[in-house]
Amino acid sequence: MRKSLVLLFPILAVLAAGHVAAESTAFVNVSVVPMTSNKVLQGKTVIVAGGVIETIGDVADTAVPEGARVIDGTDRYLLPGLSEMHGHIPGASSGELDRVLALYVANGITTVRGMLGQPEHLALRGAIADGTVLGPRLYTSGPSFNGRSVDSVDAAVRMVGEQHAAGYDFLKIHPGLSRAEFDAIADTATRLQIPFAGHVPEDVGVDAALAAGIASIDHLDGYMETLLPANIDPSGGFGGFFGVLLADAADASRIEPIAQATATAGVWLVPTESLFEHALSPVDAESMTRWPEMQYMPAATVEQWRAAKENLRRDVAEKPGLVTRAIELRHQLILALHKAGAGLLLGADSPQIFNVPGFAIHRELEYLVDAGLTPYAALQTGTANPAGFLAATARFGTVQPGLDADLLLLDANPLDDISNTRRIHGVMLRGRWLDRRELDRLLEQFRREGLLSRR
């Protein structure tokens, strides 16, 4: 017998029940950052009705509907909600699902692409869509295609068919696949018109993945190998965490050609730069455990992250300049990909090493700006770009009449300083408004949990 959604997701269902969308909402005298161009529309009134942006007009000329909730937008900035394009959604039985979705919402994340799916995520996707559960819009992969789950070409083909029939949004590729298995997955997925995305198996390489039509390559996986001179064969070697041990041998002059090839192939990139830098940077792991957002995670999780970072740092301990060189190359790759016209997507791979859901997206935006993107270009990776990647008809990602009201209201202009995305006054999820007090209340239950687990 099928369990009800309320039984599957009890806490989130209660949260959803407490946040019913008003008939209409008016943001009055607000500055709009529409993400259709690099400009701010000042002195606007934005009317939301039925979960959809209905009107954007000058404050002097736009009437507020009778009975509408009025939100003062003076000195505030309204922009699209942000997307986490490489997130991990726990299962309902893990006890962590309510925490992860709440942390996303509290940080203005209104869409998540779940990169390691399981069957119950299909029910969760529907529950979020119909308002039974409060959370960001969910796109979910099926279970991973990897060297353990796939042991033959026939198994690969069968698994693609099963996940397509089940209704997953896309397929998740992990390391360990043979070239023949990867090609079978790509061919079958193309025939069935289901996207495949994720890692680049070592036996495949970036060039073949581009040619096969992979939808996105995440973590810049395989790109460090493409920078090696022709006389160095990386196959069978140990490149370390996303190729960090290859950085000294990498040739930066090869960045522009691979960036152009990626753009030509129409393949998107999710750099997850925060994952790489948090895992390998010289910043002391112990000090990272004291970052403000760690208070919302269980002590055991933070301790696992500390141990994982220290373990990864051992690989580079005797080469102090290697990580710096690898980060420089990754920054150059990110900027070159952007300039070449390859689509970049915002993603932090949370929850992973010191990447707390939602909070890590704001750090990721800052890393993209560090790599050379303007604040506007960085914001595009989490707003308009995900909408373009997920579907040409996606109803989110910009502030325009007729689109879903997934919105973020900030107390400062993010185009002036990308760190202003942290200054959240409120979040709207398809017409459901959560003000700062409600967001703080959402966070507080997990802050107390995290502090209690540390005693």
Side-chain angles (χ1 to χ4, degrees), residues 227-240:
L227 304 184
L228 295 178
N231 64 328
I232 297 179
D233 181 5
S235 64
F238 178 62

Side-chain angles (χ1 to χ4, degrees), residues 27-269:
F27 297 89
V28 177
N29 196 33
V30 72
S31 296
V32 177
V33 184
M35 295 310 299
T36 54
S37 64
N38 187 7
K39 64 180 179 180
V40 176
L41 310 178
Q42 297 181 331
K44 299 296 181 182
T45 290
V46 178
I47 308 295
V48 172
V52 174
I53 300 168
E54 187 177 78
T55 303
I56 302 174
D58 292 335
V59 66
D61 303 326
T62 306
V64 174
E66 185 176 350
R69 176 198 290 114
V70 176
I71 299 169
D72 182 9
T74 304
D75 297 326
R76 297 187 178 119
Y77 295 80
L78 189 69
L79 64 153
L82 299 171
S83 294
E84 160 64 274
M85 294 299 286
H86 192 116
H88 290 279
I89 305 298
S93 60
S94 74
E96 287 298 301
L97 179 60
D98 55 333
R99 180 196 308 275
V100 169
L101 293 193
L103 293 180
Y104 280 139
V105 170
N107 279 279
I109 313 304
T110 56
T111 296
V112 171
R113 185 174 67 141
M115 291 299 290
L116 192 59
Q118 50 188 281
E120 62 190 46
H121 288 165
L122 297 171
L124 176 62
R125 180 183 65 187
I128 291 171
D130 67 20
T132 306
V133 167
L134 182 70
R137 175 189 286 103
L138 177 62
Y139 292 82
T140 182
S141 79
S144 165
F145 288 75
N146 59 67
R148 292 186 297 274
S149 64
V150 175
D151 59 9
S152 68
V153 167
D154 288 344
V157 171
R158 182 171 60 254
M159 194 168 163
V160 174
E162 290 170 352
Q163 293 196 14
H164 175 263
Y168 291 103
D169 296 303
F170 64 100
L171 313 176
K172 170 63 182 291
I173 305 299
H174 257 130
L177 297 170
S178 71
R179 176 65 184 272
E181 290 163 348
F182 177 86
D183 287 346
I185 293 166
D187 291 345
T188 309
T190 299
R191 176 172 56 81
L192 294 177
Q193 297 186 315
I194 181 169
F196 58 100
H199 290 253
V200 175
E202 183 180 326
D203 198 34
V204 177
V206 169
D207 288 338
L210 297 179
I214 193 168
S216 76
I217 295 176
D218 297 38
H219 319 294
L220 298 180
D221 193 15
Y223 275 77
M224 195 68 76
E225 288 81 350
T226 69
L227 304 184
L228 295 178
N231 64 328
I232 297 179
D233 181 5
S235 64
F238 178 62
F241 192 71
F242 296 114
V244 62
L245 298 180
L246 307 176
D248 275 350
D251 178 0
S253 71
R254 301 172 73 91
I255 288 176
E256 189 172 338
I258 192 60
Q260 189 57 60
T262 303
T264 300
V267 172
W268 296 71
L269 278 298

